Amino acid sequence: MSRANDRVEALLREYAELIAISGQDPFKARAYEKAARAIGGHPTDIAQLDAKGLTEIPHVGRSIADKVLEYLRTGRIPEVDASREAVPAGVRELTRIPGLGPRKALVLHRELGISSVEELEEALRGEKLRDLKGFGERTEEGIRHGIGLLRQAGDRILLDAATELAEEIVAELSRIPGCVRCTYAGSLRRMRETIGDLDVLVAADTSEPFMEALTALPSTAEVIAHGAKKTSVRTASGVQVDLRVLPPASWGAGLQYFTGSKAHNIRTRELAVRHGLKLSEYGLFDAETGENLASETEEDVYARLGLPWIPPALREDRGEIAAALRGELPELLTERDIRGDLHTHTDLTDGLASLEDMAAAAAARGYAYYAVTDHAPDLAMQRMTKEKALAQRERLRALDRTIRGMRLLHGTELNIGPDGGLDWPDDFLAGFDLCIASVHSHFGQSREAMTSRIIRACENPYVAVLGHPTTRRIGIRPGVDADFDAVFAACARTGTALEVNAHPERLDLSDEDILRAKRHGVKFAVNTDAHATVHLPYLRYGVGTAQRGWLTKDDVVNAWPWGRLHRFLREKHHR
């Protein structure tokens, strides 16, 4: 089951949204948002805390703590239930559209009676939004784009939620006597950024105990189909899980088949036919005699096809078969290759943990170096100042002397202004070990202005990394409109690394953008953008995305030894 922290975070976020939609005090909505973030990022299971322990979590006052305790005791919060009833369901549906905030959704409902995405599309076709205050042609275009993103996402879930659920199920099924092997396959094994349904495989001689166990799991809300070879269920969160039990001797063939992708499997079957073979989930067979030539491991199956084992992240029919035949598959970046995290935050700005706690958590991960990059002053709500930054640097330098085996870097995440300017002058930036620059506002600029803005920031000699380059938040906000090929070329020219932001809501750059950027000869940095100690393990999702973009450890600056990374940072200053 998911952590109580995660469930409470989701509920408080929903409550904050309901408060905003209904036009109540915006400070109250913000308070619940902050409390939700703090609880979600708290390292201790809040189910073990009393009221005093809860109020020790930042941004959690006694009133919120009481509501949390009531939820943990009863599974409900009456105020949330009342807010749900007060807000029309159609308005909440509209807020699912990326880029359409709660206030605009409420205006659409009150002024035009719109209570569904379909009604909104009809209003857009009739150009009915343009006369509303705060709306216009650009707003209409943004809403159309948001609806497209919503349709594209469908019922898919983020990579971290899918991983957590799949690992829980695999752990439960692996305990059952007779289980030889168990894992997840499908798009999750390929590390796609969103997942439609989960494919779980078991190798065993008898299927019934596993099929029964899946239907009896606490997370199972509905049994869709129950059979000897396949059982499908739907979880309480609406995710479909398909379980297949394979004979142990067919494990490799089944794992290869059910991992996909469909396009990759078509290529491997075509290759099998050219060799006079037939490939299925049960094995690789001689087409004439029916003899099973390979099935027990994926390596055996690929080898019999004349191929090396192809990592799941590459199996998208993007040239991996041809590269494998030429012996040119990349040696992909792994999580073990990452030597440090170069983008993290503390409670000095919008993080949830202290400098000391974040550094200790990073050291526990075995990093050789670790950067703290709190926000700069142009993100006004964080209230950063030069004085605070310098005081943090002193604390960091003192702490650095006490941590053995890990170098602490003092950095900053700068805000790229509408004209490409940065928060601090160059003479102050020169004192930081590392500067990241990111777009945090003015997302609706024209393509030309946005492109020029980002390139200007990359041309600053102290900007080493372009943070979450497209600014997208999956299913929430589309990326900005910019000529990213021009941006990638500028990064290559200026020696600015492109971030692969590992937060599951971002995964920015995406795998397709990574592939484009790599052709320009840029370098990358795979960072977590962690705002709490529990966010540091997000690195796995960034690495998975980097793998899908065919990156090696040579492509990624924070997979380099400190000496090489240090030279990279210094060389940027002198370009």
Side-chain angles (χ1 to χ4, degrees):
M1 297 291 289
S2 60
R3 291 193 318 154
N5 303 47
D6 300 328
R7 298 194 298 276
V8 170
E9 178 186 13
L11 190 65
L12 294 184
R13 283 188 185 276
E14 179 189 0
Y15 190 36
E17 180 185 73
L18 290 167
I19 292 169
I21 291 173
S22 59
Q24 297 180 47
D25 183 356
F27 293 102
K28 181 178 180 182
R30 181 65 176 156
Y32 277 93
E33 287 177 3
K34 287 182 176 180
R37 287 184 64 252
I39 288 172
H42 193 63
T44 302
D45 183 354
I46 61 167
Q48 310 302 319
L49 301 179
D50 57 12
K52 183 176 183 299
L54 286 169
T55 56
E56 290 174 355
I57 300 173
H59 309 301
V60 178
R62 185 57 190 257
S63 176
I64 293 177
D66 287 344
K67 290 181 176 65
V68 171
L69 289 172
E70 184 165 14
Y71 171 77
L72 294 174
R73 185 176 63 255
T74 69
R76 300 179 64 184
I77 297 178
E79 291 86 344
V80 177
D81 292 340
S83 294
R84 286 170 175 162
E85 292 178 4
V87 174
V91 177
R92 296 195 66 196
E93 181 182 355
L94 295 179
T95 62
R96 294 175 55 229
I97 299 171
L100 182 63
R103 292 193 176 184
K104 277 190 166 58
L106 191 59
V107 169
L108 291 171
H109 182 74
R110 287 176 175 171
E111 300 295 327
L112 299 177
I114 294 172
S115 59
S116 71
V117 176
E118 290 74 19
E119 290 175 356
L120 178 55
E121 288 179 306
E122 181 63 30
L124 286 167
R125 285 191 290 269
E127 299 183 352
K128 296 180 180 179
L129 275 62
R130 297 184 182 185
D131 295 332
L132 296 178
K133 185 178 180 180
F135 290 78
E137 289 188 36
R138 285 185 65 86
T139 304
E140 286 183 342
E141 188 57 38
I143 292 173
R144 285 192 186 94
H145 186 60
I147 291 173
L149 291 173
L150 181 66
R151 301 283 193 216
Q152 183 179 349
D155 295 325
R156 301 179 71 84
I157 61 173
L158 295 181
L159 184 56
D160 62 325
T163 300
E164 180 180 343
L165 176 59
E167 290 180 343
E168 288 176 358
I169 293 171
V170 167
E172 290 295 330
L173 297 181
S174 296
R175 297 189 183 101
I176 297 174
C179 180
V180 178
R181 295 183 181 183
C182 182
T183 191
Y184 52 82
S187 56
L188 178 56
R189 187 170 180 235
R190 302 196 315 274
M191 295 295 284
R192 288 197 59 181
E193 63 193 34
T194 61
I195 310 300
D197 50 47
L198 296 181
D199 294 285
V200 178
L201 304 181
V202 167
D205 292 319
T206 304
S207 66
E208 185 177 355
F210 302 94
M211 302 306 190
E212 292 295 334
L214 179 65
T215 63
L217 288 178
S219 59
T220 295
E222 176 189 1
V223 178
I224 301 171
H226 192 313
K229 293 183 178 180
K230 177 184 175 182
T231 291
S232 298
V233 302
R234 185 168 285 110
T235 69
S237 58
V239 181
Q240 181 170 323
V241 181
D242 298 325
L243 171 63
R244 294 172 177 86
V245 178
L246 304 166
S250 297
W251 175 257
L255 183 58
Q256 191 279 331
Y257 181 87
F258 289 112
T259 293
S261 64
K262 180 179 179 180
H264 175 84
N265 284 355
I266 289 172
R267 295 291 185 189
T268 54
R269 288 198 297 272
E270 288 173 346
L271 192 59
V273 170
R274 289 202 295 271
H275 285 81
L277 306 172
K278 181 180 179 181
L279 179 61
S280 75
E281 64 266 43
Y282 295 107
L284 184 62
F285 301 91
D286 186 296
E288 290 188 3
T289 67
E291 180 186 359
N292 188 342
L293 303 175
S295 62
E296 193 166 347
T297 70
E298 282 192 318
E299 289 82 357
D300 291 342
V301 172
Y302 279 109
R304 189 62 183 79
L305 291 171
L307 300 169
W309 179 77
I310 298 177
L314 297 185
R315 301 181 196 177
E316 298 290 352
D317 190 27
R318 296 195 285 209
E320 70 276 8
I321 299 290
L325 289 169
R326 295 193 305 268
E328 295 177 359
L329 281 178
E331 187 174 340
L332 294 179
L333 177 79
T334 69
E335 196 170 350
R336 292 188 301 275
D337 292 327
I338 298 296
R339 296 171 181 252
D341 199 332
L342 301 180
H343 183 178
T344 68
H345 299 271
T346 75
D347 59 3
L348 182 62
T349 55
D350 61 344
L352 302 171
S354 68
L355 168 65
E356 291 77 11
D357 286 348
M358 292 297 287
R365 293 179 63 83
Y367 287 149
Y369 44 81
Y370 174 74
V372 172
T373 55
D374 275 313
H375 288 288
D378 283 356
L379 208 60
M381 63 183 177
Q382 307 306 340
R383 300 178 182 177
M384 177 59 89
T385 63
K386 284 185 176 181
E387 292 73 23
K388 287 182 179 180
L390 292 174
Q392 183 186 61
R393 186 175 300 164
E394 287 188 19
R395 285 174 59 204
L396 183 141
R397 299 297 185 224
L399 183 62
D400 188 32
R401 291 190 288 270
T402 70
I403 299 179
R404 304 185 68 176
M406 185 179 79
R407 183 185 299 267
L408 279 175
L409 309 179
H410 189 233
T412 180
E413 184 182 11
L414 302 163
N415 306 287
I416 302 176
D419 63 351
L422 303 173
D423 311 63
W424 280 316
D426 285 359
D427 60 351
F428 192 72
L429 296 182
F432 288 98
D433 299 316
L434 170 75
C435 294
I436 296 172
S438 309
V439 171
H440 291 110
S441 64
H442 299 82
F443 303 119
Q445 284 184 307
S446 70
R447 181 179 180 86
E448 181 180 339
M450 184 64 72
T451 304
S452 174
R453 168 189 187 182
I454 297 173
I455 289 175
R456 182 186 171 198
C458 293
E459 289 172 340
N460 184 288
Y462 296 102
V463 172
V465 179
L466 178 61
H468 44 75
T470 77
T471 80
R472 74 166 184 172
R473 293 177 64 197
I474 299 170
I476 299 173
R477 183 177 68 214
V480 295
D481 183 14
D483 180 351
F484 277 102
D485 280 306
V487 171
F488 300 155
C491 287
R493 171 173 55 84
T494 61
T496 307
L498 286 161
E499 182 172 71
V500 179
N501 189 296
H503 194 291
E505 278 189 7
R506 291 189 184 274
L507 299 180
D508 182 12
L509 291 171
S510 69
D511 57 342
E512 292 181 352
D513 285 333
I514 293 169
L515 287 165
R516 286 171 56 200
K518 187 173 180 178
R519 289 194 287 269
H520 288 274
V522 302
K523 296 300 182 184
F524 301 84
V526 181
N527 300 319
T528 63
D529 196 0
H531 285 64
T533 58
V534 295
H535 297 164
L536 292 174
Y538 285 166
L539 182 70
R540 67 189 295 191
Y541 308 119
V543 169
T545 302
Q547 290 176 340
R548 289 178 58 79
W550 293 54
L551 296 189
T552 71
K553 63 181 179 181
D554 188 60
D555 296 315
V556 177
V557 299
N558 53 321
W560 296 348
W562 165 246
R564 185 180 178 189
L565 174 62
H566 187 254
R567 287 194 299 274
F568 169 79
L569 296 174
R570 299 280 74 78
E571 286 169 3
K572 174 68 194 280
H573 297 176
H574 301 294
R575 282 179 178 253

